[in-house]
Amino acid sequence: KNFEPAKNLNLEELNESTCKYGESDPGKPDFSFCGRKTVEKFSYCPLHLIVVFQPKGKKDDLTSEDEVPEFIEKKIKSA
């Protein structure tokens, strides 16, 4: 709930600092990319990092007020 709204960018509007998470189905006319600001060294915003990088066999509490969960912070530090 604390994330900035998605910008719904098309492919030509993406750059190094925009989230490349695809919204909807690529074959549909309303397909777009998230476009929020990315986390440094990643292609995704904090919200989509949570979706994309799920730890194996571990459920992390994604309801906390932290912007980036601890397991993502560890991945950022090790990158």
Side-chain angles (χ1 to χ4, degrees):
K1 68 181 180 181
N2 295 327
F3 296 104
E4 68 178 291
K7 296 181 179 166
N8 302 321
L9 303 178
N10 63 40
L11 183 62
E12 293 81 18
E13 296 173 303
L14 295 176
N15 61 47
E16 288 184 12
S17 64
T18 54
C19 180
K20 280 107 181 136
Y21 190 86
E23 305 279 357
S24 181
D25 182 338
K28 293 187 177 181
D30 66 340
F31 179 76
S32 63
F33 294 91
C34 169
R36 292 180 182 100
K37 185 176 183 211
T38 57
V39 173
E40 187 177 343
K41 298 185 181 179
F42 289 92
S43 297
Y44 303 107
C45 66
L47 175 65
H48 289 118
L49 274 175
I50 294 169
V51 174
V52 174
F53 292 106
Q54 291 289 322
K56 288 184 179 181
K58 179 182 175 191
K59 297 275 184 183
D60 202 11
D61 178 17
L62 301 181
T63 60
S64 68
E65 294 297 318
D66 296 335
E67 184 173 306
V68 180
E70 184 179 334
F71 72 92
I72 298 295
E73 286 290 342
K74 289 178 185 175
K75 285 192 171 291
I76 292 170
K77 288 178 185 171
S78 69

